[in-house]
Amino acid sequence: YFVAFILIGSFFLINLFIGVIFMHFNRAQRNHSHNNLFQTEEQKLWSDLQRIVARAKPDYESNSEPVEPFRKSLYKLVNHPVFDVFIMACILLNMLQMAISYEGAPDDYNQALEIVNLVFTAVFVLELILKVVAYGCRGYWNNTWNRFDAFVVLASLMDLTLTQFSSSSTTALRVGPQLARVLRVLRVSRLLRLAKSFEGLQTLIQTLLYVLPSLANVFSLLMLVFLIYAVLACYLFYEIKKGVVIDEYTNFQNFGMALVTLFRISTGEEWNKIMYDCLDPIECFDGENDCGQPSAPIFFLSFILICSYVVLNLFILVILEQFDKNHQDPNNPVQNFKEYLESFRKVWSAFSGQHRGTRMSQRFLVDFF
């Protein structure tokens, strides 16, 4: 009975509810695009494409092979597939080294992990130096992933420096371990480099970046719902002092505590017990226990329904809509342009080397096209 109820009630009907929201959301999106007084959908797509074209650059420094023999050999090394595989393996092993650390480990164990960390840090610093020499400072900095690598490497070096200073007996050089821990955690972000080698991960990250403005609108709607319900909660349940869950940290005595409590309810943590406390409290501020509100079930059930099943699912719907628009449509010119941009940069750098990527000699035009 209960398994059947969960399958039908939770997995089927709730997903059907979400599907209806998704259908009406797509219909509203289409109506909005059709009723746009200033741009049609094709014109908006064209303007987005022109904006991307205007920002695109040949990036000659990153894609051109150096002339000097030493830099040329380094350029071939850092662009070799085996080099990328080696760096990715080092990243995964470095994450494994960070994961196997535990509280109360022997000193020899921790010292061995520190030595391994020094080796990996040296590998990443050497990678940075090789790429700077191979690409040049400007060519290295033009690449977004290289800037991210430089940030993580600098954070690792600062972590090692602060670790040494924290063990120093000099008071002026002693730094709190909290800052060192923050810099150490930044090394975990190095895992994002794996997206550079996997097209699927790049697609997901690009989708999240594209959808940020729309997510801001949905977040504003969510905050509006929280503000409305927080004001209502302060008006309805401010007299309740103590319950099974309601205490000095979970209550509706002021607007700030009401927001915190509503955020806890939105996560699903004991929201039904908070509802029962508002129905039948243990103690009120007047010393009695008769300040419960019969309208509490309507308040809490409507809040859970709106937050969990409507507004929060809008975040998923917006992301899916953007993914379907930019990555599922094979005729999307914006996505096609980004896919062929890197190929164009490499070909342009090969044919415009005599003029440092600024222009191409006319005798190369036939071969270029």
Side-chain angles (χ1 to χ4, degrees):
Y1 171 83
F2 290 102
V3 171
F5 175 76
I6 292 297
L7 289 176
I8 297 174
S10 296
F11 297 151
F12 179 73
L13 293 180
I14 291 179
N15 287 322
L16 184 63
F17 181 81
I18 297 172
V20 171
I21 297 176
F22 185 61
M23 180 183 66
H24 286 278
F25 177 79
N26 285 336
R27 184 182 301 172
Q29 287 285 92
R30 289 194 298 268
N31 292 337
H32 175 73
S33 61
H34 292 161
N35 297 331
N36 195 329
L37 299 178
F38 301 100
Q39 283 183 323
T40 63
E41 187 67 25
E42 291 76 13
Q43 290 172 337
K44 185 177 181 300
L45 191 61
W46 182 86
S47 62
D48 292 340
L49 180 60
Q50 296 306 310
R51 194 179 299 112
I52 296 175
V53 171
R55 290 199 303 262
K57 297 180 181 179
D59 193 11
Y60 172 79
E61 290 82 0
S62 301
N63 293 281
S64 60
E65 188 173 305
V67 180
E68 299 86 350
F70 179 68
R71 288 186 59 198
K72 186 175 182 179
S73 60
L74 292 183
Y75 182 87
K76 292 181 178 179
L77 173 65
V78 298
N79 286 281
H80 199 280
V82 177
F83 183 82
D84 288 336
V85 172
F86 171 73
I87 295 298
M88 294 303 165
C90 289
I91 291 175
L92 294 176
L93 292 175
N94 190 17
M95 296 302 104
L96 178 63
Q97 173 262 323
M98 295 179 63
I100 61 178
S101 177
Y102 62 93
E103 184 68 26
D107 293 337
D108 294 340
Y109 183 83
N110 290 329
Q111 187 176 4
L113 291 182
E114 289 297 328
I115 294 175
V116 174
N117 180 48
L118 286 174
V119 172
F120 285 125
T121 303
V123 170
F124 297 133
V125 171
L126 179 62
E127 179 204 10
L128 186 147
I129 295 174
L130 291 177
K131 287 188 175 181
V132 169
V133 175
Y135 296 132
C137 294
R138 184 176 178 182
Y140 179 86
W141 195 253
N142 284 341
N143 189 286
T144 306
W145 288 109
N146 290 340
R147 293 198 295 268
F148 176 74
D149 291 344
F151 168 74
V152 178
V153 168
L154 290 177
S156 300
L157 293 177
M158 290 181 63
D159 172 34
L160 295 176
T161 304
L162 291 178
T163 302
Q164 294 297 323
F165 284 167
S166 63
S167 61
S168 175
S169 59
T170 306
T171 306
L173 296 178
R174 191 179 296 119
V175 181
Q178 297 297 329
L179 181 59
R181 288 197 188 110
V182 171
L183 294 174
R184 191 172 296 117
V185 169
L186 288 177
R187 290 184 296 172
V188 180
S189 61
R190 192 177 279 122
L191 278 174
L192 294 176
R193 283 190 55 185
L194 297 177
K196 183 179 179 181
S197 303
F198 297 97
E199 186 177 351
L201 287 178
Q202 290 186 18
T203 301
L204 294 177
I205 294 176
Q206 287 178 359
T207 301
L208 292 177
L209 292 178
Y210 292 154
V211 84
L212 283 179
S214 299
L215 289 181
N217 296 331
V218 180
F219 180 76
S220 301
L221 177 61
L222 179 63
M223 288 298 99
L224 181 61
V225 172
F226 268 81
L227 292 177
I228 293 174
Y229 273 85
V231 173
L232 288 175
C234 291
Y235 177 76
L236 295 173
F237 313 122
Y238 72 96
E239 295 180 344
I240 300 175
K241 182 179 181 179
K242 185 173 179 58
V244 177
V245 177
I246 292 181
D247 52 20
E248 57 181 330
Y249 303 109
T250 304
N251 55 69
F252 301 100
Q253 298 171 15
N254 55 64
F255 183 76
M257 290 303 302
L259 278 178
V260 174
T261 305
L262 287 176
F263 177 77
R264 172 179 175 176
I265 292 172
S266 67
T267 64
E269 182 185 0
E270 296 184 329
W271 70 269
N272 55 327
K273 294 183 180 180
I274 299 177
M275 179 182 67
Y276 296 146
D277 286 343
C278 294
L279 270 173
D280 185 18
I282 296 176
E283 183 182 356
C284 302
F285 277 100
D286 58 3
E288 304 293 334
N289 61 351
D290 57 351
C291 57
Q293 292 290 335
S295 59
I298 299 176
F299 176 89
F300 287 96
L301 290 176
S302 62
F303 178 76
I304 289 294
L305 181 65
I306 294 175
C307 280
S308 299
Y309 297 134
V310 179
V311 179
L312 291 181
N313 281 312
L314 281 179
F315 284 95
I316 302 174
L317 299 182
V318 169
I319 295 175
L320 290 178
E321 190 266 341
Q322 189 70 31
F323 182 83
D324 182 70
K325 177 181 176 181
N326 289 336
H327 300 288
Q328 296 295 101
D329 185 7
N331 298 321
N332 190 305
V334 176
Q335 185 62 27
N336 292 337
F337 175 81
K338 291 187 175 182
E339 291 179 357
Y340 293 109
L341 179 59
E342 289 300 323
S343 300
F344 170 79
R345 284 173 172 172
K346 293 179 181 180
V347 175
W348 174 264
S349 300
F351 284 94
S352 61
Q354 291 183 343
H355 303 284
R356 303 292 298 174
T358 57
R359 58 190 177 91
M360 184 191 305
S361 177
Q362 59 182 2
R363 68 176 183 270
F364 295 137
L365 287 177
V366 176
D367 294 334
F368 174 77
F369 286 111

